[in-house]
Amino acid sequence: MSSPPILPKSTSLSDIGNLSRRQRIASIGKVVFLAATLLAVAALAVLLWYIFQRGWGWLSWGLLTNPPSRKPEKAGLSIAISGTLWIISLTLLVAFPMGVASAIFLEEYAPKNRWTRLLQINISNLAGVPSVVYGLLGLGIFVQWLDLGRVVLAGALTMALLSLPVIIISSQEALKAIPWSLREAAYGVGATRWQVTASHVLPAAVPGILTGVILAVSRAIGETAPLLVAGAAGFVTSKPSGFMDSYTTIPIQLYNWMSRPQTEFRDLAAAGIIVLLVLLISMNLIAIIVRQRFSSRTRW
Amino acid sequence: MTQQLEQPLTQEAAGSSAAGQPLIDIRNLNVHYGNFKAVGDVTFEIATHRITALIGPSGCGKSTVLRSINRMNDLIPTARVEGEILFHGENILSSGVDPVMVRRRIGMVFQKPNPFPKSIYDNVAWGAKVNGIRKGMDELVEWCLRSAALWDEVKDKLDQSGLALSGGQQQRLCIARALANNPDVILMDEPCSALDPISTLRIEDLMRELAKNYTITIVTHNMQQAARVSDQTVFFSLGENRMGVLVESSPTRDIFTNPRDSRTEDYITGRFG
Amino acid sequence: MATEPRTGSGTQTDALPFFRPGGSYVDQKLLRRQHLTEKTVGYLLLACAIVSVLTTIGIVVVLLAQAVNFFADVSIVDFLTGTTWTALFQNQQQWGVLPLVSATLMVTLLSMLVAMPIGLMSAIFLSEYASPRTRAVLKPVLELLAGIPTIIYGFFALTFITPSILKVVWPQTSVYNVLAASIAVGIMIVPLIASLSEDAIRSVPSAMREGAYALGATKLEVSTRIIVPAALSGIVASFMLAASRAVGETMIVALAAGSKAQMVTNPLQPGETMTGYIVQVVSGDAARGSTIYYSLFAVGLLLFVMTLALNIFSHWFVRRFREEYE
């Protein structure tokens, strides 16, 4: 039986055997990984460039102030913007307190047992349900069963349910980030659980919670499918003035324009996309600023 | 077959050092982590087929020096290593030398056993596979496990995960893994500090056995271990600004009975560190 | 004996009443009030958390109840096995859902083919190769891809990918086609795979990396043969979650894939996914109580079950196969 084929000991470091080939392959690998990352970035760049160059010419103040029209030159987003504002305000009003309250319950109050674990799993599952299914939920319950009809209230409640899991999860993260020692100190001087939470934990968690809510809202602004299903009407002629009015939103109006075959309407849609993107970028910037400004003040 | 596998491997290419001759020559080694000078002006030699122990209080740079020998400090972005480390006469710190090559020749065993989440067989074979060995893997794995005194305990469960072994067994697995490349030198960074006393003694016996065919350099904070195991001891201490300095390098017998430097004597007699 | 309410300042003559013999230093009224507040708050918070449970129940009940109405008219077997879906033909309604499912699966498959390599390789690059500065720039940029509303991706697929890319390479591509939508969906889910895989890769302990490098391996060998296999369960879970997202994607396919419900064999041809069908119906005038109306919920139920299964499976997968590094 021959002795095992062990790599021979050699005296020289420059006797590198197969290493040069391996290093060549390693360099190729590095380039490939970088290329993949840059490819994703390039896709983003192409998308943004395309939208801008297509829609730039159609940007005007009229886009923001005109109601929709059969003529693309005259059409605008005013009614859609109003609808979006109505929907989002009501969504926030409902989802923000409930979401934060649920997060507080899960993080500060609930014992760690099987039921709360189930609750947690339920919330993560809800976060993964497609938004169109929330639309069906809204259609079935708010529009039809509660017979609200295709009105702002029904749409807002639908979006509230959609945003709730996201707000809960991000608020929980914000609460978890607060070190236990803060709570310990407060309990140590005899505060009740609510006092600890309201006076110590919540104020410290506000930046994180706010950031999460702003991001959840910006996602909700861009959602089309759930409101399409739950009742934004096809052609709305006036801005909503109450919760029981019919409405349309920015993405739905854009969808409307995009679905028309005329090139002008598609150009107009591109311009509308720019408006939507500007709105979303502003909100994200606000979220980042909130996080920076408040977190620099917190000293543990 | 068993006879042959238990033969210590004595392949020596022409021109290599005989036992006792300097194999690694460290000259004026300085290591910075960012602005912090961790190790200053270290010079000593490591002899072939001997066990050299680096001892000293914690934080005095012994591990830093050890990791410079196989260019592991290259993995730390803020680390800057200056000086010369001559291995078979060539400076391994020079920029023309590929650290991957250095690590093929100079292996390392770490403080906390770190087997891969693979089978025992794959753990041992991985280094050799990556370095191009295709055939004869079964014999190689068996040989390495025998040399690491682990074969009898694992020969029936080679496809079990390496992580399922006990701490002492995992460390011997890591030693077997390092042997697969047939390195000249095995560096060990506090190899027993995470192990129980019985495993520690087993590994110390293993070290002495391995020293017949390999050059071993260990870092240890356990003076008694250094006294038990090593032929040469190098004592480090803390200089100015928490910089590690080499105080004395002597044969082990001498350093523990008749140290040349008073700092060495203070450390050995327990007056500090 | 009633104790005096403690208002905090105390009177001079009665500075330390709790040392009065026989007196209690605990203010019973305050304590009772606090206790009531605690209980109320506790229940309020619980009520809010219960809303999430009600939501799940609501989804299941609504989908089931309305789907039951659908299955009063259409047999479940026909639904699940039929290959013709002509919901909007007034006279000849056929309700085999497989065309919708085939389109959904085709979009999911093609988008995953796009997103898995790009996402995983980006994750490897960001965690193993990129300097902290590069990472700080590239990571948010990748996250941006996830933040773009899907309607914009749909527009991009319809008005750019199809005419300017696909038609150039394959002139026989039709105006609405599955491939354009799939590419857009793929781009959209890259950040999901990249960030979850990166988390998994970063959680591989550095001791393992060091052990691999110490054996004389190149960076590529360490990354692909030690790190990625060690992070595999998290990486696979990220794939499954991304697939679930692709299944549920609505606006991209509604805009770009078309509304022709047919068994999809050629991605250059149109196809209607389950989600696309839902959009098509609600964009029309389906009468409440009609079979078409109920079909919305039947398809919705199928969609819900598919995504739920993928999500649950991915969580189970991580729990079962999560690598132990100790």
Side-chain angles (χ1 to χ4, degrees), chain C residues 60-93:
Chain C
V60 173
V61 163
V62 163
L63 290 178
L64 269 180
Q66 305 290 40
V68 158
N69 288 330
F70 175 76
F71 290 120
D73 290 340
V74 177
S75 94
I76 294 190
V77 176
D78 286 347
F79 179 70
L80 291 175
T81 60
T83 57
T84 315
W85 181 269
T86 56
L88 290 129
F89 291 3
Q90 297 295 30
N91 299 331
Q92 271 264 342
Q93 286 180 329

Side-chain angles (χ1 to χ4, degrees), chain B residues 25-31 38-44 54 60-61 65 82-85 234 236 244-247:
Chain B
D25 198 355
I26 299 168
R27 295 184 189 164
N28 305 112
L29 181 69
N30 292 293
V31 181
V39 161
D41 206 27
V42 166
T43 299
F44 67 100
L54 310 185
C60 64
V65 168
E82 293 150 344
E84 283 187 327
I85 298 183
V234 184
F236 290 83
V245 292
L246 186 150
V247 172

Side-chain angles (χ1 to χ4, degrees), chain A residues 66-90:
Chain A
N66 290 341
S69 150
R70 296 208 194 281
K71 300 204 187 107
E73 320 80 61
K74 293 215 184 119
L77 289 168
S78 65
I79 293 183
I81 293 177
S82 165
T84 293
L85 284 174
W86 273 91
I87 292 277
I88 291 300
S89 330
L90 195 48

Side-chain angles (χ1 to χ4, degrees), chain B residues 9 22 34 51 59 76 78 85 89 99 105 121 137 148 159 175 180 197 202 211 236 247:
Chain B
L9 184 75
I51 302 181
I76 301 173
T78 55
I85 298 183
R105 306 276 191 250
Y121 184 99
M137 202 55 84
D159 50 356
I175 293 176
R202 289 189 77 169
F236 290 83
V247 172

Side-chain angles (χ1 to χ4, degrees), chain B residues 109-211:
Chain B
V109 173
F110 295 83
Q111 180 173 344
K112 195 155 171 296
N114 56 359
F116 302 134
K118 295 176 185 289
S119 68
I120 294 174
Y121 184 99
D122 287 333
N123 260 283
V124 178
W126 196 77
K129 259 198 212 144
V130 141
N131 277 291
I133 297 293
R134 298 268 171 263
K135 297 192 291 204
M137 202 55 84
D138 290 353
E139 291 95 351
L140 178 62
V141 169
E142 182 179 339
W143 187 90
C144 293
L145 288 169
R146 279 186 191 278
S147 306
L150 190 57
W151 174 251
D152 290 323
E153 291 164 61
V154 300
K155 63 183 174 205
D156 298 324
K157 43 182 187 171
L158 288 179
D159 50 356
Q160 235 183 63
S161 166
L163 293 166
L165 299 173
S166 76
Q169 288 173 323
Q170 284 188 11
Q171 194 64 304
R172 278 177 281 148
L173 177 62
C174 292
I175 293 176
R177 187 174 70 178
L179 291 176
N181 277 341
N182 200 14
D184 292 321
V185 182
I186 303 178
L187 306 174
M188 300 194 181
D189 192 351
E190 303 202 37
C192 304
S193 61
L195 303 177
D196 60 274
I198 299 200
S199 306
T200 299
L201 288 178
R202 289 189 77 169
I203 294 203
E204 288 178 12
D205 288 340
L206 185 55
M207 277 189 231
R208 273 188 286 270
E209 192 58 37
L210 289 173

